[in-house]
Amino acid sequence: MLNGFKDFILRGNVISMAIGLAVGAAFTAVVTGFSTAFITPLIGLATGSVGDFSSAQFTVDGAIFPYGKFLAAAIAFLITAAVLYFCVVVPMAKVQSRFAKAEKLDIKAATRDCPRCYTEIPAIASRCAHCTSEIKPDPEALAVAGLPAQR
């Protein structure tokens, strides 16, 4: 029983996930601190309030609604999402596209119907496999396949 737990914990993907969560939590703390220290006061100054608006609130029938905390959290979320997208997702997509193998072109994948027997045949076929009628291959399929046009 303990051997199974040990194998589970020592698996590479579990450790990577734990490291990712720890780094993500630290990154979120940094972005929240940056947002609280710089972005929120700048927005407060731009909107005419005095500096930080994270303590802004309104009251209805004695209930306090601290909307400033929500705005500060929303700003921190947007900054986190933007940084992750532009600093992690976009570069990783570029790296993956460089190392992605080009898919092999399957020249038999493009099909059409035989004009004589109406069965499905490859678009580059010059003879129907079902009724043996001679037909002209599709010129576009020949061009995609890199084959010369037939007359």
Side-chain angles (χ1 to χ4, degrees), residues 11 18 21-22 25 34 46 57 63-64 75 79 81 85 91 98 115 117-118 126:
R11 242 190 268 166
L21 286 172
F34 175 76
Q57 61 186 18
I64 299 172
I75 291 169
I79 292 172
Y85 179 75
R98 279 190 182 166
C117 66
Y118 303 107
S126 59

Side-chain angles (χ1 to χ4, degrees), residues 50-108:
V50 182
D52 185 15
F53 64 90
S54 64
S55 60
Q57 61 186 18
F58 65 91
T59 306
V60 176
D61 289 336
I64 299 172
F65 294 90
Y67 69 91
K69 290 181 181 180
F70 170 76
L71 290 177
I75 291 169
F77 170 77
L78 290 175
I79 292 172
T80 303
V83 168
L84 287 175
Y85 179 75
F86 290 111
C87 294
V88 177
V89 174
V90 171
M92 284 304 296
K94 286 183 181 179
V95 168
Q96 286 177 342
S97 69
R98 279 190 182 166
F99 292 111
K101 294 180 182 176
E103 291 185 24
K104 275 187 138 180
L105 178 64
D106 185 11
I107 59 174
K108 295 181 182 178

Side-chain angles (χ1 to χ4, degrees), residues 5-18:
F5 181 72
K6 182 181 80 171
D7 292 340
F8 172 74
I9 292 298
L10 294 179
R11 242 190 268 166
N13 55 358
V14 173
I15 293 171
S16 297
M17 183 180 67

Side-chain angles (χ1 to χ4, degrees), residues 34-46 49-53:
F34 175 76
S35 174
T36 303
F38 295 104
I39 304 298
T40 304
L42 286 174
I43 291 173
L45 289 172
S49 61
V50 182
D52 185 15
F53 64 90

